[in-house]
Amino acid sequence: MSRKGENIYKRKDGRWEGRYIRDRRSDGSIHYGYVYAYSYNEVKQKLIPLKKEELYVNHSRAIDSPYVLHWVQEWLDKENKRLKLSTYSTYKYKLQRYVLPILGSNRLSELTTQSLQELIDNYQINYHLSASTIRNIFQILQKVLNEAIKKGYIVEDICATVVLPKQTKRRIYALSQSEQRKLEGACRRSSNGLPTLLALYSGLRIGEIAALSWEDIDFENHLLYVNHTYQRIVTASKEQKTTLYLGSTKTETSRRVVPLSKTIISLLRDRKLNHTGKYLFMANGQPMEPRLLNYHFKKIVSQSKIKDIHFHQLRHTFATRCMEASGDIASVSALLGHSSTKTTLDVYVDSVIEQRKKIICKVEEMVNF
């Protein structure tokens, strides 16, 4: 067993072993050195000059460390080769918007846990960012700094003890059944109501609906294949701040197959007869972008006379109706494209509780017949 923080161990052969960082390999991994003696104190004394040398080498390496601005750009250039364009764009925007203006002129060696904590506090006090946004920015920054640690530009993990703001779970509201009926009525009276109906009966995200092509619809088997998403992403160009991007779905589990009801299949058949083109919803020869879909959706909501809602609540409404229909959590999770049933349970806990209440009522009815 080692003495805490000293890397000195008692071996089975009776000797004591001490470990120190000898150097780092070209990939950034640590190469350890070892010393041995028959007493703990003797090993400790042997380690003193070796650890002093280690600190000197690390300090010299840290002095030559690059500026945060240059390191972030180098890291982004490397990540650009392996990340989806949408993910890369998000990383780049958040680093340039929230990290570089504050830390960019520092050398990596100058960063400390305290400087990172001040950064987080600044986000809360001056930027008024939500806890989830702050956590997301910090996760990206942590990736950047972990790579710097591997290169030896930073000698310790300065992210480990940073205190992040606690996330408060926002309650997700779904439409009631009566509200849904009103909204569906408005959809049927509108020439642009099909995307909203499709969201209500499939749980697709707005970007997934925008990207749907006719090849994704299996009319014979009443199935819809979710493979792509169409979204507006931030660019580095000053002339054009955003651009539309058709890419693969959010995650691997987001690629999924969703059964469609007879009503939705019928509406899709009618649309295919009256619309030409590759995609279900098009504008100017291209997929209809989410902003335009949302514009039509807001008009329909207004006409339906229900409370103002956002498009993503249609997805929550779909999940809630599935729960009310006694759908098992694994099936609902798969329909939504969640990475795990835990995600579904965390998001739709209220619906799950309501289903459990119904089960208890049914049990009581069975016993007290």
Side-chain angles (χ1 to χ4, degrees):
M1 184 176 177
S2 68
R3 301 288 179 94
K4 186 174 181 181
E6 292 185 323
N7 277 333
I8 300 176
Y9 304 82
K10 183 70 176 288
R11 291 166 54 94
K12 290 182 179 179
D13 63 5
R15 292 185 301 165
W16 287 83
E17 172 188 300
R19 188 176 74 169
Y20 64 97
I21 297 176
R22 190 169 180 177
D23 55 39
R24 290 179 182 268
R25 300 180 179 89
S26 58
D27 64 356
S29 61
I30 296 172
H31 179 202
Y32 289 103
Y34 302 88
V35 295
Y36 305 93
Y38 282 100
S39 73
Y40 166 82
N41 285 330
E42 190 178 351
V43 168
K44 187 174 182 179
Q45 290 303 313
K46 286 184 177 182
L47 284 175
I48 289 174
L50 295 169
K51 287 191 173 183
K52 281 184 179 179
E53 183 180 351
E54 172 197 332
L55 287 172
Y56 173 77
V57 171
N58 284 335
H59 180 67
S60 300
R61 186 185 287 117
I63 289 174
D64 295 331
S65 68
Y67 288 101
V68 174
L69 173 65
H70 298 147
W71 175 247
V72 165
Q73 188 56 57
E74 182 179 333
W75 183 85
L76 283 169
D77 290 342
K78 180 182 176 183
E79 293 298 297
N80 191 24
K81 299 173 184 176
R82 70 174 193 85
L83 292 175
K84 285 171 51 180
L85 179 59
S86 56
T87 304
Y88 170 79
S89 177
T90 298
Y91 283 8
K92 185 173 183 177
Y93 171 75
K94 290 188 174 177
L95 287 169
Q96 290 182 339
R97 173 72 176 83
Y98 297 111
V99 175
L100 295 184
I102 302 172
L103 298 180
S105 60
N106 293 81
R107 288 191 182 274
L108 286 169
S109 59
E110 295 172 337
L111 298 183
T112 63
T113 297
Q114 183 179 350
S115 61
L116 296 186
Q117 189 64 62
E118 289 172 356
L119 179 72
I120 298 301
D121 295 342
N122 187 35
Y123 289 156
Q124 293 179 281
I125 298 168
N126 297 319
Y127 283 75
H128 306 294
L129 299 180
S130 67
S132 59
T133 300
I134 292 173
R135 284 175 170 269
N136 183 252
I137 295 168
F138 188 74
Q139 286 173 356
I140 298 169
L141 178 58
Q142 199 167 17
K143 292 176 188 286
V144 175
L145 298 183
N146 282 343
E147 193 67 26
I149 291 172
K150 289 180 183 178
K151 292 286 186 180
Y153 295 139
I154 300 175
V155 298
E156 61 180 340
D157 184 0
I158 58 175
C159 297
T161 56
V162 173
V163 179
L164 299 174
K166 290 184 178 180
Q167 283 182 273
T168 54
K169 286 188 178 180
R170 289 186 303 139
R171 185 169 181 181
I172 300 171
Y173 292 96
L175 294 178
S176 67
Q177 292 186 24
S178 63
E179 287 174 326
Q180 182 171 342
R181 282 192 287 270
K182 289 179 182 179
L183 182 61
E184 288 185 24
C187 285
R188 295 178 191 282
R189 294 190 296 271
S190 169
S191 59
N192 296 301
L194 185 52
T196 300
L197 288 171
L198 190 54
L200 283 169
Y201 284 92
S202 69
L204 266 65
R205 302 173 178 92
I206 193 168
E208 294 169 340
I209 290 175
L212 284 174
S213 69
W214 290 112
E215 294 177 352
D216 297 322
I217 310 298
D218 182 346
F219 285 100
E220 184 177 347
N221 297 301
H222 293 197
L223 298 174
L224 181 153
Y225 292 85
V226 184
N227 295 307
H228 298 94
T229 186
Y230 194 52
Q231 57 190 316
R232 186 169 286 278
I233 61 174
V234 179
T235 68
S237 171
K238 291 183 179 179
E239 293 75 25
Q240 185 180 8
K241 293 184 178 181
T242 63
T243 187
L244 288 164
Y245 171 66
L246 180 67
S248 56
T249 51
K250 186 177 178 183
T251 62
E252 191 61 34
T253 50
S254 292
R255 300 185 65 174
R256 59 199 188 278
V257 181
V258 180
L260 295 175
S261 68
K262 291 179 181 179
T263 302
I264 295 296
I265 282 290
S266 177
L267 290 170
L268 289 173
R269 279 202 177 101
D270 291 342
R271 183 171 185 82
K272 192 173 184 183
L273 287 172
N274 298 307
H275 292 78
T276 58
K278 179 179 178 181
Y279 299 96
L280 273 66
F281 310 107
M282 298 184 67
N284 301 319
Q286 298 295 324
M288 189 178 292
E289 71 158 299
R291 264 194 325 205
L292 185 52
L293 286 175
N294 191 61
Y295 169 77
H296 293 314
F297 164 71
K298 286 295 184 181
K299 288 187 69 175
I300 292 168
V301 170
S302 177
Q303 292 163 6
S304 70
K305 304 293 177 65
I306 64 172
K307 63 188 176 187
D308 187 33
I309 60 171
H310 54 76
F311 197 94
H312 205 68
Q313 282 174 268
L314 303 179
R315 179 170 164 85
H316 302 319
T317 300
F318 168 76
T320 301
R321 295 293 96 86
C322 288
M323 299 287 190
E324 291 170 352
S326 300
D328 65 274
I329 198 68
S331 295
V332 175
S333 182
L335 286 169
L336 294 170
H338 285 163
S339 57
S340 69
T341 54
K342 182 182 182 302
T343 303
T344 312
L345 286 167
D346 287 345
V347 175
Y348 301 105
V349 63
D350 288 344
S351 297
V352 174
I353 293 297
E354 288 303 313
Q355 283 304 106
R356 289 172 181 171
K357 286 179 181 178
K358 290 179 182 179
I359 292 171
I360 296 301
C361 289
K362 286 182 180 180
V363 169
E364 185 178 38
E365 289 172 4
M366 289 169 59
V367 174
N368 299 315
F369 56 88

